[in-house]
Amino acid sequence: MTHNRRVPHLLLARPTIVQRVVLALLGAFFLVWLALLAYIYIEFRQALAVDQGLKKLGRALTAALAEVRDDAEAGVVMTATATQFQTLRISGNPAGSVLMELRDRQGGLIHASPALGRQVLDGRQGEVIDQQIDGQTYWVYRRDTGRWSLQLAEPRITGMWILERNAGRVLPYLLLAFPLILLPVWLAVKLGLRPLQRLADRIAERGTADLSPIGMDPKYAELKPLIAALERMLAQLRGTMERERAFVHDAAHELRTPMAVIAAQAHALSGAGSSEERERAQVHLEQAIERASHLTQQLLELASLDDAHQRLPKSVDVAQWARQILAQAAPRALARGIELTLDAPDSLEAQIDVPAFQSILENLLNNAIRYVHDGAQVVVTLRSDDERLTLSVEDDGPGIAESDHERVFERFHRGVGHDTPGSGLGLAIVKQAVSRMGGCVAVSQGLARRGVGFHVSLVLGGAG
């Protein structure tokens, strides 16, 4: 029961596009509300600076009094104006209504608002000034004509009052508009997501091993990049699966031969009738085991390089590392009179994927030693600049036919014209390791236009 109660909460907590749209609209309406308040405030300040409402009222009243010659008639005009102003609440100022005072040019009082009591307005001709009346700040405006002196006063309006008053007036309109805008947006989002739902349903209906093209032509332009990306991904997965199936098939085929030899030689060893037969069978058995072990090791190395996980580059002395690899290969080279030479600086620091670089050099070196004739030369060259590290392994052996240069890096491919045993994986490992490090490898003629040369160019610092 506890689990079931949590489900609605989890569903509500799960983010959706509709939720994001609603929140975005709320944020947009909030920004519009702030922008309107800012506009009203700026408009209010500009109105104060250009032509204040108190001045407009003063001009209108003095224009009405211009034709009045009698004090009693002027008092009637002022009383009627004050009553009308109070009724219509033209000022809209809740702090108080407009106070009016009219005197003749000799200073005699014609009319004064009852709220003034004994207070006397002390304005300045043609200007709006501040005056304290009963502890409250008023704007006071004075305008003199030929016969009359008119003074008007209203409570001073602050910017904060403008914001507080209009915030409540604008908000209901925005709240009324919100659902009217939200509904069509929600419908647009819901209808716009239907193609995505159809795409999801089509993918969900496919089998786990179905990597065939989706075959969907989206109506909306925004979905075309998504469909294209999915089609590319499926094509890459199909290629990967095909390569893996071919790799497993070839690996099984290559392992079958040494395993058959091992079984045959083990049978021959157990049934040998003499010591010579046992020794011969044991030698063949050890050779078959060595070949199977070498092939297994290369398969594991190739699988490791196929792994998508990238190793972090390390700073090492590549020249010193190369010397160690050549020293390990030296006994096999000396046994056949092969001359190994390293042409490299005394020290060469570089940021590289060390295991991948080791695979490259070891396999190129083993490949050269395996296929050159006795007494041949193998030269390893190391160079670098600020961006790239170059490695070359060249020999003066039988070489590789130019027509076969591209195929030598294929897995389990072994060239013709020689009877040297091998797995056909060494150069494939080189190609994969070079690709992992963001580099490239090329094949050319070897030393003195004989043999073969492999030239590797690697990006310093890791895969590019």
Side-chain angles (χ1 to χ4, degrees):
M1 294 297 292
T2 304
H3 174 74
N4 293 334
R5 290 173 183 169
R6 289 179 180 176
V7 170
H9 173 72
L10 293 175
L11 292 176
L12 291 175
R14 185 181 303 165
T16 65
I17 294 179
V18 173
Q19 289 177 5
R20 296 192 66 176
V21 169
V22 173
L23 291 176
L25 281 177
L26 284 174
F29 270 80
F30 179 72
L31 292 177
V32 170
W33 181 62
L34 292 179
L36 287 175
L37 291 181
Y39 173 77
I40 292 172
Y41 177 79
I42 293 172
E43 190 178 51
F44 165 72
R45 299 303 301 180
Q46 288 178 341
L48 290 182
V50 175
D51 193 10
Q52 197 166 339
L54 207 58
K55 291 183 179 181
K56 295 179 181 179
L57 178 60
R59 288 195 300 269
L61 267 175
T62 53
L65 292 169
E67 303 300 325
V68 177
R69 296 288 183 267
D70 182 71
D71 290 354
E73 186 179 353
V76 171
V77 171
M78 292 298 297
T79 301
T81 302
T83 301
Q84 186 180 27
F85 202 86
Q86 179 69 20
T87 303
L88 297 177
R89 298 183 182 274
I90 296 176
S91 72
N93 191 333
S97 184
V98 174
L99 304 179
M100 302 181 182
E101 181 183 277
L102 181 67
R103 295 179 182 272
D104 57 26
R105 296 308 298 268
Q106 289 74 37
L109 182 63
I110 306 301
H111 174 83
S113 297
L116 276 173
R118 296 184 178 182
Q119 293 282 344
V120 176
L121 297 180
D122 187 17
R124 190 177 302 163
Q125 167 64 19
E127 297 182 16
V128 177
I129 63 173
D130 291 345
Q131 181 180 340
Q132 292 291 322
I133 301 176
D134 293 333
Q136 185 177 357
T137 302
Y138 276 72
W139 284 325
V140 179
Y141 174 70
R142 175 181 171 183
R143 186 176 178 86
D144 296 336
T145 62
R147 184 177 179 83
W148 315 105
S149 178
L150 174 67
Q151 294 197 85
L152 304 173
E154 71 170 338
R156 189 175 185 272
I157 301 175
T158 63
M160 184 58 66
W161 179 85
I162 290 291
L163 293 176
E164 291 175 354
R165 178 171 180 265
N166 287 282
R169 294 180 64 184
V170 172
L171 190 58
Y173 296 100
L174 293 178
L175 293 178
L176 179 63
F178 181 76
L180 300 179
I181 295 176
L182 178 62
L183 180 61
V185 171
W186 178 79
L187 288 175
V189 172
K190 186 175 181 62
L191 295 176
L193 291 178
R194 280 185 179 177
L196 277 178
Q197 186 60 51
R198 287 197 294 269
L199 174 62
D201 294 340
R202 181 172 294 189
I203 293 176
E205 292 170 357
R206 298 160 68 98
T208 55
D210 186 1
L211 297 177
S212 61
I214 298 174
M216 182 177 178
D217 185 18
K219 177 181 178 181
Y220 299 102
E222 291 82 0
L223 293 180
K224 289 184 181 295
L226 174 62
I227 300 296
L230 287 174
E231 295 287 15
R232 286 194 300 271
M233 182 185 70
L234 288 173
Q236 292 172 357
L237 289 175
R238 288 195 299 272
T240 301
M241 293 292 291
E242 291 171 3
R243 288 193 298 271
E244 287 183 354
R245 280 193 290 267
F247 177 73
V248 171
H249 178 269
D250 291 340
H253 177 74
E254 291 294 325
L255 282 170
R256 184 182 301 135
T257 300
M259 297 308 294
V261 173
I262 290 173
Q265 296 303 322
H267 180 72
L269 182 62
S270 62
S274 65
S275 59
E276 291 181 358
E277 290 179 355
R278 280 194 299 272
E279 289 177 3
R280 186 166 52 252
Q282 184 173 355
V283 169
H284 291 163
L285 179 62
E286 290 175 352
Q287 289 176 347
I289 292 174
E290 182 182 358
R291 182 184 176 191
S293 176
H294 177 69
L295 178 58
T296 303
Q297 180 61 37
Q298 287 194 312
L299 288 172
L300 291 173
E301 187 174 356
L302 196 56
S304 174
L305 290 171
D306 281 340
D307 186 6
H309 177 69
Q310 295 287 336
R311 299 185 183 96
L312 293 176
K314 292 172 55 178
S315 180
V316 296
D317 186 343
V318 182
Q320 184 61 30
W321 196 270
R323 291 187 186 95
Q324 294 177 8
I325 295 175
L326 261 70
Q328 294 171 2
R332 287 184 290 120
L334 290 174
R336 297 178 51 200
I338 298 172
E339 180 182 351
L340 288 181
T341 305
L342 175 63
D343 181 8
D346 292 337
S347 178
L348 183 56
E349 290 288 335
Q351 288 271 348
I352 60 170
D353 181 341
V354 177
F357 177 78
Q358 181 176 354
S359 294
I360 294 170
L361 183 52
E362 285 182 346
N363 280 283
L364 287 179
L365 201 56
N366 290 337
N367 187 75
I369 294 174
R370 180 185 295 271
Y371 292 103
V372 297
H373 53 78
D374 293 349
Q377 295 185 68
V378 177
V379 178
V380 178
T381 306
L382 271 176
R383 294 287 184 269
S384 75
D385 53 28
D386 293 336
E387 297 181 354
R388 305 189 77 86
L389 173 70
T390 57
L391 166 68
S392 297
V393 178
E394 301 170 285
D395 61 59
D396 58 356
I400 300 174
E402 188 173 351
S403 60
D404 215 21
H405 281 185
E406 292 297 327
R407 296 198 61 199
V408 293
F409 297 107
E410 295 179 5
R411 298 178 180 186
F412 301 107
H413 173 76
R414 302 186 67 243
V416 296
H418 59 78
D419 56 0
T420 304
S423 63
L425 287 176
L427 294 179
I429 292 173
V430 171
K431 179 71 173 180
Q432 185 66 18
V434 169
S435 176
R436 184 187 184 95
M437 297 176 70
C440 57
V441 57
V443 188
S444 70
Q445 287 185 323
L447 301 174
R449 293 186 171 274
R450 297 173 57 193
V452 65
F454 291 92
H455 307 278
V456 176
S457 179
L458 302 174
V459 178
L460 292 178

